[in-house]
Amino acid sequence: TGGEALLIHKYEKTALLDCGQAFCGNEMVKNLKEALDGRHLDYILVSHSHYDHIGALSVTLDSFPDTVVVGSEKAFLVFKSDGARKLIKKLAEDARDLYSDSTEEIKTANMRIDRIVREGDRIDLGGGFINVLETKGHTNCCLTYVLEPDSIMFLSESTGVLEGDQEVHSAILTGYRDSLDSALKCRNYGAKTLVCPHYGLIPEFFDNFTELAVKEKDLVSSWYKKGLTDEEVLNEYVSHFWTKERNTQQPYEAFVENAKATVRILKDA
């Protein structure tokens, strides 16, 4: 429920990949300071602009104001939008109220991207570097980062999320074809190690993701072929995919919002 926050500190420069949920941001920053042990935090790498990945960005920047925040051009525009920050705040509050006893205000005012990166860009870490891949599908701002020469790929949610040891969740919200293309791109890169969002180290699973995405599209299409309305299809989708186990990682309200986007995308896929 804490979201994503992974520290890369092998080389001269340090990088935090995402910063997790807002409600546990202070605890994350405390852990981060202990892990850095006096070192400077050089970069925050934004995988995408969803509340469970960057909710604690404001809190992190309060403690590390000189850190360079890296992300896509789309994420840059999202953080500039009052409406987008308002939605991030609302979803972060829902998660806070569900998963914690905190009543602390959620901050979003100083969310920012300092350095816009694109496909093929490199982020120098001094002795190592990070390659940037654009991987749309979950959002239009999703980036995949690859730590080199270690060949560790930090996947975005555009290529799915592993839930438990076997179940893959497609997480397609903005583009069916974009997600399949992102999976193919990541597979063809040939990284030695994969890190899946909300899970951790995983074996090769791109074929499983692609198979699931096609099945999910066919399922949504079958409901429409039966003459169901958009609302009825959404209800079928939620009934089919929502589980109590998923509630331990995502509030129901956030799942339904994502489901609306998924159904809309798969309807036209």
Side-chain angles (χ1 to χ4, degrees):
T1 56
E4 295 289 280
L6 304 173
L7 178 63
I8 301 168
H9 60 110
K10 176 179 181 179
Y11 295 106
E12 179 184 338
K13 295 183 179 180
T14 62
L16 180 68
L17 176 60
D18 290 335
C19 46
Q21 296 256 31
F23 73 86
C24 51
N26 289 325
E27 187 68 21
M28 188 282 295
V29 169
K30 177 183 175 182
N31 294 339
L32 178 59
K33 289 179 177 179
E34 291 179 359
L36 288 170
D37 193 23
R39 296 179 66 186
H40 179 60
L41 179 63
D42 295 285
Y43 299 107
I44 296 174
L45 310 177
V46 173
S47 70
H48 65 293
S49 57
H50 278 177
Y51 75 100
D52 53 333
H53 288 256
I54 50 76
L57 180 57
S58 287
V59 173
T60 308
L61 289 173
D62 285 344
S63 293
F64 299 93
D66 297 329
T67 296
V68 176
V69 185
V70 177
S72 68
E73 184 175 10
K74 180 64 176 178
F76 172 86
L77 296 174
V78 167
F79 291 155
K80 289 286 187 180
S81 166
D82 291 338
R85 289 201 308 274
K86 183 177 180 181
L87 178 59
I88 291 170
K89 181 180 178 70
K90 170 63 168 60
L91 294 173
E93 288 171 344
D94 289 343
R96 175 200 63 193
D97 296 343
L98 177 62
Y99 297 127
S100 77
D101 295 326
S102 173
T103 57
E104 188 171 348
E105 181 183 1
I106 302 298
K107 298 176 60 177
T108 61
N110 63 338
M111 287 183 168
R112 67 176 197 255
I113 297 292
D114 300 313
R115 176 179 170 185
I116 295 173
V117 291
R118 297 176 174 84
E119 179 80 18
D121 284 350
R122 283 189 176 189
I123 302 165
D124 179 37
L125 296 180
F129 60 92
I130 290 170
N131 276 334
V132 177
L133 304 178
E134 294 183 5
T135 49
K136 296 180 180 180
H138 179 62
T139 70
N140 288 326
C141 63
C142 274
L143 298 177
T144 291
Y145 298 100
V146 189
L147 179 63
E148 298 288 9
D150 306 82
S151 193
I152 300 173
M153 177 177 283
F154 298 92
L155 295 166
S156 76
E157 289 190 45
S158 292
T159 48
V161 178
L162 195 63
E163 297 178 346
D165 292 333
Q166 299 296 328
E167 183 182 358
V168 178
H169 173 48
S170 68
I172 298 172
L173 301 181
T174 59
Y176 174 74
R177 177 49 55 185
D178 283 341
S179 281
L180 296 186
D181 289 345
S182 293
L184 181 62
K185 178 191 293 187
C186 290
R187 180 173 63 182
N188 289 344
Y189 187 98
K192 293 180 181 178
T193 302
L194 303 177
V195 180
C196 178
H198 301 291
Y199 187 84
L201 295 172
I202 60 169
E204 163 70 48
F205 85 129
F206 295 119
D207 289 341
N208 292 340
F209 163 74
T210 301
E211 180 180 348
L212 172 69
V214 172
K215 287 182 177 179
E216 196 168 314
K217 177 181 72 70
D218 290 344
L219 184 61
V220 170
S221 296
S222 73
W223 289 329
Y224 277 111
K225 287 178 181 179
K226 291 179 181 179
L228 273 61
T229 65
D230 289 343
E231 183 177 356
E232 289 170 335
V233 170
L234 175 62
N235 291 337
E236 288 287 345
Y237 185 93
V238 171
S239 177
H240 191 86
F241 289 105
W242 176 253
T243 63
K244 290 183 179 180
E245 290 75 16
R246 182 165 286 177
N247 195 46
T248 65
Q249 295 295 325
Q250 183 183 35
Y252 177 77
E253 294 79 8
F255 174 81
V256 172
E257 285 300 312
N258 285 352
K260 291 177 184 177
T262 298
V263 168
R264 182 174 65 251
I265 291 298
L266 296 182
K267 177 183 180 180
D268 299 325

